[in-house]
Amino acid sequence: LPICYCAYTPCFRGEAGEYLLTGTCYEHKRLFDSPEWLTWLSEEVLGDLAAAGYDCDAWAFLPNHYHVLAHVPDLDHVSERLRKLHSRLATEVNSGQSQRGRRVWYRYSDRQIRNEQHHFASVNYLHYNPVKHGYVPKMEQWPWSSVHEYLETKSRDWLKQLWDRYPPLDYGKGWDW
């Protein structure tokens, strides 16, 4: 299989698997800075991935980036899908914010999940991301995250055990904005 070096780590193109997908706004600008824009962004991205048949295990949407933990059948397919999705989203957000021609997305990155520890550390990292970036003091206070589904289907105790067993520690250091 051909190797690519997206997000500074090697991955194999065409390979199915679970990936942490991240979309980042150009210059880290907070372009989705209202509840309406964040709701719209999360619905559009998750809806598009679901329409493609991707199972999404966890996600977090913030004003200047998003993370989605998804099972994809072919990394090449998701790359093309996100390229088209980001193009459509850029056109719509620029139109809605009267910013025609503004560059919206810097890039997207993918990181293949290696094992159970990496998976659950990623889930914790995603849910903690709004706290890390100073938007809320507690994970469950951020509406645009899958933490609410986990609280509903698993429980607060289960999430606490998950946190204790798979802490994110320095997860994302050097690449998350």
Side-chain angles (χ1 to χ4, degrees):
L1 293 173
I3 298 175
C4 76
Y5 290 90
C6 50
Y8 309 108
T9 58
C11 61
F12 294 94
R13 285 287 173 212
E15 189 171 322
E18 184 178 29
Y19 290 87
L20 176 58
L21 307 172
T22 300
T24 306
C25 290
Y26 184 66
E27 296 179 339
H28 308 292
K29 291 181 180 173
R30 297 177 180 186
L31 302 181
F32 303 95
D33 60 350
S34 71
E36 294 79 18
W37 280 116
L38 278 168
T39 298
W40 175 79
L41 176 64
S42 62
E43 289 172 353
E44 291 294 319
V45 171
L46 293 173
D48 190 81
L49 296 176
Y54 304 160
D55 292 324
C56 298
D57 287 343
W59 59 87
F61 291 85
L62 287 83
N64 66 349
H65 70 284
Y66 69 82
H67 300 289
V68 177
L69 189 60
H71 296 268
V72 302
D74 180 329
L75 191 56
D76 285 336
H77 184 261
V78 78
S79 296
E80 181 62 15
R81 185 152 199 109
L82 287 178
R83 185 190 64 75
K84 289 178 180 177
L85 174 64
H86 283 181
S87 177
R88 181 176 61 79
L89 296 177
T91 299
E92 291 185 39
V93 73
N94 281 344
S95 176
Q97 294 178 358
S98 300
Q99 294 288 326
R100 189 169 177 251
R102 171 182 61 183
R103 187 168 177 190
V104 172
W105 299 104
Y106 173 61
R107 68 166 139 170
Y108 104 90
S109 66
D110 53 69
R111 293 183 181 275
Q112 189 168 27
I113 303 302
R114 297 181 307 272
N115 54 37
E116 180 181 279
Q117 179 179 353
H118 190 195
H119 169 85
F120 287 118
S122 297
V123 170
N124 284 332
Y125 172 77
L126 287 161
H127 292 161
Y128 186 70
N129 210 245
V131 176
K132 173 187 170 192
H133 291 289
Y135 291 107
V136 290
K138 295 181 179 179
M139 293 182 280
E140 62 270 16
Q141 293 174 324
W142 190 251
W144 303 280
S145 162
S146 57
V147 72
H148 305 284
E149 289 186 19
Y150 278 80
L151 285 168
E152 213 173 277
T153 61
K154 299 290 186 182
S155 79
R156 185 173 303 282
D157 288 339
W158 186 88
L159 280 174
K160 168 110 175 59
Q161 290 172 7
L162 188 72
W163 184 271
D164 291 343
R165 186 165 180 195
Y166 303 103
L169 302 173
D170 287 339
Y171 197 109
K173 186 176 182 179
W175 57 267
D176 182 35
W177 305 99

